[in-house]
Amino acid sequence: MKALNVVLIGPPGSGKGTQAELLRDKNGFVHYSTGEVFRDHIARKTPVGLQVEEYVTSGRLVPDDVVLRVVNAFMAEHAGKPTLFDGFPRTIPQAEGLDEVLAEQKSAVDMAVLVDLPDDDVVKRLTARRQCRKCSKIFNLTFKPPKVAGVCDDCGGELYQRKDDSDTVIRDRLSTYHKQTEPVLHYYSEQGKLKRIDGALGRDRVYEEITRLISAA
Ligand code: ADP
Ligand code: ZN
């Protein structure tokens, strides 16, 4: 596979994080999730963490300038590697900021993949989602329950429910997605870079589709 820069877009709970992990483990992509980066900063109580905590726990978008500062720092370290952007860009200014920093490295976004899912499915999936505190692995009480309740299959870490996975916060995140992130789809579609995958197909089929798109690129 070529050293592609791929942007994964989708509503919360569409499974893009899971796909990004698969593509990292099996296809050698660097996986860059701004949500994971922010949760890590919050857990370590760094200055960035204190600045973004309110936004992340209430499901609102972190301001673009903060997001772009964190992304630019990452890009400085990982220039030239095939990268999968998960949960970024989420606004037009973020998409423009990513184009700029990639252009400085004589690189570009090669493909944007929308993993699509209807709102009702999103709510169903997210309220059942649990995550490992130690290794960040994601479980779902309905579709992919852990072998032992509350315990991570992989590392034995404690499973928890993210604060932003409560019902009301999920509704807010969805409306933010429709308002702020859907224009980003249009941005990539105008450049002929957008591909759409049905997120309801399930983990393995979605992964097959994504790898097919990437090999064809
Ligand atoms: P999900 O895709 O399931 O909503 P993420 O882990 O991608 O979860 O993001 C969690 C939260 O982190 C978001 O609700 C938002 O507050 C913040 N966040 C992550 N990425 C961005 C971004 N690119 N721009 C603004 N805020 C972000
Ligand atoms: Zn774990």
Side-chain angles (χ1 to χ4, degrees), residues 6 16 39 52 68 92 96 111 117 120 124 197 209 213:
V6 178
K16 59 189 168 16
R39 280 188 289 280
V52 304
L68 285 170
I92 294 286
E96 291 169 346
M111 190 191 297
L117 198 70
D120 287 344
K124 259 187 244 154
I197 296 176
E209 283 292 299
L213 289 172

Side-chain angles (χ1 to χ4, degrees), residues 38-51 53:
F38 291 141
R39 280 188 289 280
D40 177 58
H41 275 286
I42 293 169
R44 291 188 291 122
K45 302 196 193 312
T46 67
V48 171
L50 297 175
Q51 205 180 351
E53 182 161 18

Side-chain angles (χ1 to χ4, degrees), residues 132-137 139 152-159:
C132 175
R133 258 190 220 289
K134 252 209 230 148
C135 74
S136 304
K137 192 184 173 80
F139 295 84
C152 175
D153 288 354
D154 282 10
C155 78
E158 180 203 352
L159 301 185

Side-chain angles (χ1 to χ4, degrees), residues 12 16 34-35 39 56 60 62 87 90 94 129 162 173:
K16 59 189 168 16
T34 42
R39 280 188 289 280
V56 173
R60 281 177 303 142
V62 171
R90 263 179 159 84
Q94 289 181 21
R129 179 159 83 171
R162 278 166 45 180
R173 284 160 70 201

Side-chain angles (χ1 to χ4, degrees), residues 161-176:
Q161 179 173 38
R162 278 166 45 180
K163 275 196 193 139
D164 57 343
D165 279 348
S166 72
D167 202 83
T168 44
V169 178
I170 292 166
R171 295 283 172 197
D172 289 347
R173 284 160 70 201
L174 271 170
S175 91
T176 304

